[in-house]
């Protein structure tokens, strides 16, 4: 007996049930027959409803107040914070992980460890696996731009041949043929991660394996209004996502296929969990991302910094050599407002030697728009030239998540998210 933990980040199971009722997603339907999904409850404050916080809670069994991991990537600096992976390995069980979210690779001898694209930790695996990871990370962190390293493309092709079953090639060719449609790149990414995971899991057969998948969260976040299951009054512009096109069913169909494939494994406990879920957003909110973070922060006269690291969507991290440099830069970033409507442009979290920055301006931006500094009067005209349009917000975080399994869970119908860790450990006691 072995255990597979599948992270379907932020997926709203009400939409899965909607599509099941329409005769779709047969593997989800079969999976839910054994154990109806139970609800998980996380943080009460909305600012704490971020997946990089909730998944650390799952991995540690600790609430935010206990683990204090607030940023994506923070886990690497908290070496004293024990993760479930080391605990499982210390119990003489083998571990294999693909894209565990905001997790640090501290394992002594993992079967494989492929980090998420944003957390700076080591990759454990073959040379090709490491190169495929680097290519995927580059692709994800440049997702709003068309530039892509040719060498990375070569390694992705090699990884495709190595990890994707021949019978799945037609699926990829059909999907790639729709590459210009909303959400398709995200579907391709998770399809590749799934195939890599299944191949590695089959080859190494670890006692515990885990895959984290984020494309469903991305699609809900940006295209939920186009789901046939959405019954609200808002609509995406036709230029953004064509009316009548439903990106959500595309990714859920891919997840359904994965569940069917891993469910064929004998003597395997399977757990699905979401950490959070998303509910429909109630306003039209635009997301923007800097095209070139280094160029822009130098443009606003921030020069003394160690490096700048793009994070998910509109966020980025700037590291400094001293708290004084960070504070000075904090004041500069904090001083920028839109010339047109006086909306603040950035939100900053200062951690002495680093700034976690969110580009929070949420309205449409044209070539006529500018921003200015209330600190020194500096004006950046045509701010749009420095930005890439990311998306229109469709889904927002909700503190309730889901936990489902292919075996009976002896627990209440609603539990704290902190309890999921022990449920995982209990499933391994059957080894």
């Amino acid at each position: 007996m072995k255990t597979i933990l599948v992270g379907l980040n932020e997926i709203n199971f009400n939409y899965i049930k909607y599509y099941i009722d329409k005769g779709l997603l047969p593997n989800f339907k079969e999976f839910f027959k054994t154990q109806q999904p139970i609800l998980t409850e996380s943080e009460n404050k909305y600012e704490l409803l971020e997946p990089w916080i909730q998944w650390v809670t799952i991995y540690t069994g600790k609430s935010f107040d206990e683990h204090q991991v607030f940023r994506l990537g923070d886990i690497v600096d908290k070496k004293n914070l024990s993760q479930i992976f080391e605990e499982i390995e210390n119990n003489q069980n083998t571990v294999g992980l693909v894209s565990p979210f905001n997790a640090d690779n501290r394992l002594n001898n993992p079967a494989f460890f492929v980090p998420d694209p944003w957390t700076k930790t080591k990759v454990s695996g073959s040379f090709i696996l490491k190169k495929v990871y680097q290519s995927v990370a580059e692709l994800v962190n440049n997702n709003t731009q068309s530039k892509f390293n040719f060498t990375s493309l070569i390694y992705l092709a090699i990884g495709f041949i190595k990890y994707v079953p021949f019978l799945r090639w037609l699926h990829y060719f059909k999907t790639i043929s729709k590459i210009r449609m909303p959400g398709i790149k995200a579907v391709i990414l998770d399809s590749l991660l799934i195939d890599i995971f299944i191949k590695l899991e089959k080859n190494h057969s670890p006692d515990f394996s885990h895959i984290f998948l984020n494309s469903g969260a991305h699609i809900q976040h940006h295209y939920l209004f186009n789901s046939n299951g959405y019954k609200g009054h808002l609509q995406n512009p036709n230029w953004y996502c064509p009316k009548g096109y439903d990106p959500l069913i595309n990714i859920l169909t891919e997840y359904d296929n994965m569940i069917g494939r891993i469910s064929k494994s004998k003597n395997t406990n399977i757990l699905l969990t979401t950490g959070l879920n998303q509910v429909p957003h109630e306003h039209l909110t635009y997301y923007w991302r800097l095209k070139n973070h280094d160029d822009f922060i130098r443009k606003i006269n921030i020069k003394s910094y160690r490096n700048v690291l793009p994070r998910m969507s509109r966020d980025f991290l700037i590291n400094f050599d001293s708290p004084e440099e960070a504070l000075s830069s904090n004041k500069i970033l904090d001083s920028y407002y839109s010339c047109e409507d006086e909306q603040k442009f950035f939100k900053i979290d200062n951690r002495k030697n680093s700034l976690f920055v969110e580009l929070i301006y949420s309205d449409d931006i044209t070539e006529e728009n500018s921003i200015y500094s209330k600190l020194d009067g500096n004006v950046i005209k045509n701010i749009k030239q420095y930005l890439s349009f990311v998306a229109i917000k469709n889904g927002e975080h909700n503190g309730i998540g889901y936990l489902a399994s292919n075996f009976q869970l002896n627990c209440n119908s609603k539990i704290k998210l902190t309890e999921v860790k022990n449920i995982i450990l209990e499933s391994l006691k059957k080894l």
Side-chain angles (χ1 to χ4, degrees), residues 37 72 92 114 200 212 224 308 351 353 394 429:
L72 179 54
Q92 308 304 311
V114 183
L200 291 172
F212 171 89
L224 187 59
V308 56
R351 294 284 187 85
N353 279 17
N394 283 205
K429 288 182 179 180

Side-chain angles (χ1 to χ4, degrees), residues 188-206:
I188 294 170
L189 173 61
D190 269 8
S191 296
L192 182 59
L193 289 178
I194 289 167
D195 282 321
I196 289 172
F197 173 76
I198 290 177
K199 183 67 175 289
L200 291 172
E201 200 279 332
K202 180 180 178 181
N203 289 348
H204 297 275
S205 194

Side-chain angles (χ1 to χ4, degrees), residues 24 31 66 76 118 131 160 170 172 176 249 276 312 335 367:
L24 304 172
F31 194 87
E66 296 170 301
V76 299
W118 307 278
K131 289 297 184 181
F160 180 87
L170 182 59
Y172 280 89
I176 291 171
I249 188 58
L276 301 166
M312 296 182 75
S335 72
E367 287 77 6

Side-chain angles (χ1 to χ4, degrees), residues 16-70:
I16 292 178
K17 291 175 181 176
Y18 167 83
Y19 292 115
I20 288 175
D21 291 343
K22 296 297 181 181
L24 304 172
L25 309 181
N27 294 307
F28 272 112
K29 181 179 180 179
E30 189 66 27
F31 194 87
F32 291 162
K33 285 181 179 179
T34 303
Q35 167 69 61
Q36 280 295 309
I38 65 173
L39 302 180
T40 62
E41 192 174 30
S42 57
E43 305 292 339
N44 294 321
K45 298 178 181 178
Y46 187 78
E47 61 266 26
L48 298 180
L49 297 182
E50 295 289 0
W52 48 84
I53 295 175
Q54 268 62 58
W55 282 91
V56 173
T57 293
I58 292 172
Y59 298 152
T60 64
K62 299 179 184 296
S63 67
F64 170 76
D65 284 343
E66 296 170 301
H67 65 63
Q68 290 291 303
V69 176
F70 186 68

Side-chain angles (χ1 to χ4, degrees), residues 220-233:
Q220 285 180 155
H221 199 55
H222 301 321
Y223 306 112
L224 187 59
F225 299 159
N226 278 75
S227 168
N228 292 330
Y230 170 68
K231 302 306 178 185
H233 65 281

Side-chain angles (χ1 to χ4, degrees), residues 239-252:
W239 60 261
Y240 177 67
C241 191
K243 186 176 181 179
Y245 179 72
D246 183 354
L248 184 56
I249 188 58
N250 292 334
I251 191 62
L252 292 182

